Structures are given as C-alpha cells and as structure tokens.
Amino acid sequence: MVYSIVETAKANNLNVFMYLVHLLSQLPGVDFKADPSLLADFMPWSEKLPDYCRKVK
C-alpha cells in the first residue's frame, strides 16, 4: 500500500517525503468515516494540497 502511495505521489510530481509527512500528520485528525469526501483533499492530484508537498519546478 505504501509503495502505491509513493508511486502515485511521484506520478503527480509531488515531493514524496513532504507528502507523506502531510498525510501522516493530518489524516489522524480527519473524520473521514463520517464524511468520506474529505479524503479527496488528500489525494496526490488534489489542488488543495499545501505547496510544500509539490516539487519546485
């Protein structure tokens, strides 16, 4: 599962380490069981990801 997350992050031109830091620090506080649509903001292709998750062009 982690390999899939890493490879998807790479394919979406993200800084993999910072993306994982973001996921592991933010997801525990999200009540996605009550509202699964909240997970969309954490997908590697989401435009709502913070800038520090993106690679500098």
Side-chain angles (χ1 to χ4, degrees):
M1 185 183 328
V2 174
Y3 180 76
S4 177
I5 293 169
V6 168
E7 290 302 315
T8 307
K10 285 181 189 177
N12 284 277
N13 203 34
L14 296 179
N15 177 321
V16 175
F17 177 77
M18 292 309 296
Y19 178 61
L20 290 173
V21 167
H22 177 67
L23 290 181
L24 295 173
S25 65
Q26 298 298 313
L27 279 177
V30 176
D31 188 15
F32 60 88
K33 289 182 182 178
D35 187 3
S37 66
L38 294 173
L39 287 177
D41 295 345
F42 293 93
M43 295 295 130
W45 49 84
S46 174
E47 294 186 14
K48 294 184 178 181
L49 287 174
D51 289 337
Y52 63 80
C53 289
R54 305 194 188 286
K55 285 186 179 178
V56 179
K57 293 180 181 180

